[in-house]
Amino acid sequence: MTPPRTTPRTRRAAAAALVALVTLGAPAAAAVGPAGDAGHRRPCVASRLPDAGPARDVLRIAERAKAEMDLKSVILRVTVDGREVVTTALGESMTGVPATPALHFRNGNIAISYMGTALLRLVDRGTVRLDDPVARWLPGLKDGDRITLRMLAASTTGLVDYVRLPAFQQAVSADPFRQWTAEEVVRLSTSQERWYEPGTNWSYSHANFVLLGAALEKITGTRLDVLLQREVLGPLRLRETRNGFTPDIPAPALHAFTSDRGTYEESSFWNPSWTTAPGAVETTDICDLASSAAGIGSGRLLSPASYREFLNPGTVGLGHATAKCPATVCLAQTEATHYGLGVLVLGDWVSQHPLFFGYSASQAYLPSERLSIAVSTTNGPDAAAGHSAHLIAQRIAAALTPAHPIPDFG
């Protein structure tokens, strides 16, 4: 699959509109880029907002969504070709503590797109092939001779998602501070009957990405956090994005709250160790998230052939209900909406939108117009469950590029 299906006429019209966006958007109060000999960048800061124009329109979308969805905070950044349209933060991190763009939050499954990118960089160098069986590096994995690196990254192994298991859900709810090991969560999946034969269907399973992280470490002989820093975070200059082996969030931290356990309570430091592979449990800020959307969504670090695989590794046409796997799990993968190698292809957009105990985030990139949308939200006491940040990203996309909406997945 190739990204954005547009005609020369529509490309010219959209490009003109987006140039206007950047022209009308106010300059940042401080630049985002290298600063000083220490190699750290200046803080991510809010724009000076105009009284009218696209930047103001985006702000109004965020303000309406915050009130309508009962969100405690909304932080967002929109860029075109790396140039700021708007960066802003609404609401509070904690009572009496305003949200700001510099706050760090969990980026969840966005790190999976970094693992997919790192894998394809190894493919580009000839280190591995996507269709190599993982038994070579994970000899203890059942059916590892029939499961390939492609299947892990594209989530087509048939492994049950341990996050859906009632016993796991009960354990996390009973003790959200528990430290889980990769071995524990993978065992939860592999102890269950497989949903389908490897490569014959599609279903999201966290176990696939825990295993992919382990395979990447074995392939390279490098710890996963170090590998991702070398292959992705460093080249994309994501200087506020980093792994954590504990539930800590680097200061300044965006605090989160949730009603998932029946009481509205702080969840900022609930343990995310089960969410993905150790070494890819990351935090970030909104400026890095917008840069990530562009760097990952454009395939900047990949060859053209690997970028095509990244967007469609063979998932299109998969996804159908079976006796073991309902349609709500084995989702239909269509040309319009499907899973790539760690990313979602949603119409003309390349996206990811993590959700974790009161945190929601979204990164979305429209390659044809070089438009990046990054949103982070936290919940108020009456917020509904779901991807509030992604809903806001969809609204922003509809306002800025009405010819290119972001469709729902599944």
Side-chain angles (χ1 to χ4, degrees), residues 2-20 80 348 366-370 401 403-404:
T2 56
R5 301 171 292 282
T6 56
T7 66
R9 181 178 178 181
T10 60
R11 282 197 298 270
R12 286 194 297 270
L18 289 174
V19 167
V80 177
D348 295 330
L366 182 60
S368 63
E369 316 307 338
R370 301 180 181 179
T401 57
H404 302 281

Side-chain angles (χ1 to χ4, degrees), residues 60-359:
R60 286 176 178 145
I61 289 170
E63 289 171 337
R64 285 195 295 269
K66 180 181 178 298
E68 174 189 318
M69 300 178 191
D70 188 38
L71 301 176
K72 192 168 185 67
S73 70
V74 177
I75 306 173
L76 64 84
R77 179 172 170 87
V78 178
T79 65
V80 177
D81 202 15
R83 293 177 292 174
E84 180 184 63
V85 175
V86 60
T87 305
T88 195
L90 307 174
E92 296 180 317
S93 173
M94 297 183 291
T95 301
V97 180
T100 72
L103 297 180
H104 297 100
F105 51 88
R106 304 199 188 280
N107 69 356
N109 61 18
I110 286 167
I112 294 171
S113 70
Y114 304 157
M115 286 196 279
T117 298
L119 172 61
L120 287 167
R121 282 169 68 83
L122 296 175
V123 171
D124 280 339
R125 295 188 193 117
T127 304
V128 295
R129 296 173 300 172
L130 281 179
D131 294 317
D132 285 343
V134 300
R136 176 178 171 187
W137 303 285
L138 305 175
L141 179 64
K142 183 182 178 181
D143 294 328
D145 57 334
R146 296 195 295 139
I147 294 174
T148 66
L149 293 169
R150 182 194 300 272
M151 292 175 194
L152 288 179
S155 205
T156 62
T157 65
L159 286 171
V160 168
D161 188 0
Y162 56 82
V163 171
R164 293 180 176 272
L165 298 175
F168 175 80
Q169 294 171 359
Q170 292 163 10
V172 170
S173 180
D175 183 7
F177 298 99
R178 174 178 170 178
Q179 180 79 19
W180 293 81
T181 68
E183 292 77 10
E184 284 178 314
V185 293
V186 168
R187 192 180 307 118
L188 288 172
S189 287
T190 56
S191 65
Q192 303 293 312
E193 187 177 0
R194 196 183 298 278
W195 272 329
Y196 49 83
E197 289 300 301
T200 63
N201 207 337
W202 184 90
S203 56
Y204 190 91
S205 175
H206 289 72
N208 291 324
F209 306 109
V210 176
L211 290 166
L212 177 61
L216 288 170
E217 288 191 334
K218 291 289 185 67
I219 290 165
T220 61
T222 305
R223 206 173 67 184
L224 184 60
D225 60 317
V226 176
L227 177 69
L228 295 181
Q229 177 64 41
R230 184 181 74 202
E231 296 292 341
V232 181
L233 306 184
L236 294 182
R237 302 179 74 186
L238 304 182
R239 293 177 179 162
E240 296 299 323
T241 305
R242 66 201 70 172
N243 170 70
F245 288 111
T246 74
D248 186 38
I249 300 173
L254 176 65
H255 288 248
F257 301 82
T258 183
S259 300
D260 285 354
R261 300 200 302 172
T263 301
Y264 186 63
E265 59 187 328
E266 180 165 7
S267 53
S268 309
F269 303 104
W270 287 8
N271 200 317
S273 55
W274 54 266
T275 57
T276 192
V281 182
E282 295 176 344
T283 55
T284 192
D285 71 6
I286 204 68
C287 287
D288 264 18
L289 194 63
S291 297
S292 168
I296 294 299
S298 66
R300 184 186 308 162
L301 302 180
L302 303 175
S303 69
S306 282
Y307 184 49
R308 289 191 294 271
E309 293 278 13
F310 189 55
L311 297 183
N312 181 18
T315 50
V316 172
L318 297 178
H320 56 275
T322 70
K324 298 177 184 176
C325 190
T328 53
V329 174
C330 287
L331 297 172
Q333 304 294 291
T334 69
E335 185 73 22
T337 59
H338 61 269
Y339 203 76
L341 290 178
V343 291
L344 287 165
V345 177
L346 303 178
D348 295 330
W349 295 78
V350 184
S351 179
Q352 265 292 15
H353 43 273
L355 186 67
F356 175 81
F357 289 139
Y359 285 107

Side-chain angles (χ1 to χ4, degrees), residues 18 58 61 78 349 364 366 371 373 390-407:
L18 289 174
V58 171
I61 289 170
V78 178
W349 295 78
L366 182 60
L371 171 63
I373 300 173
H390 187 61
L391 289 173
I392 294 171
Q394 288 178 305
R395 294 179 185 183
I396 293 171
L400 300 187
T401 57
H404 302 281
I406 303 176

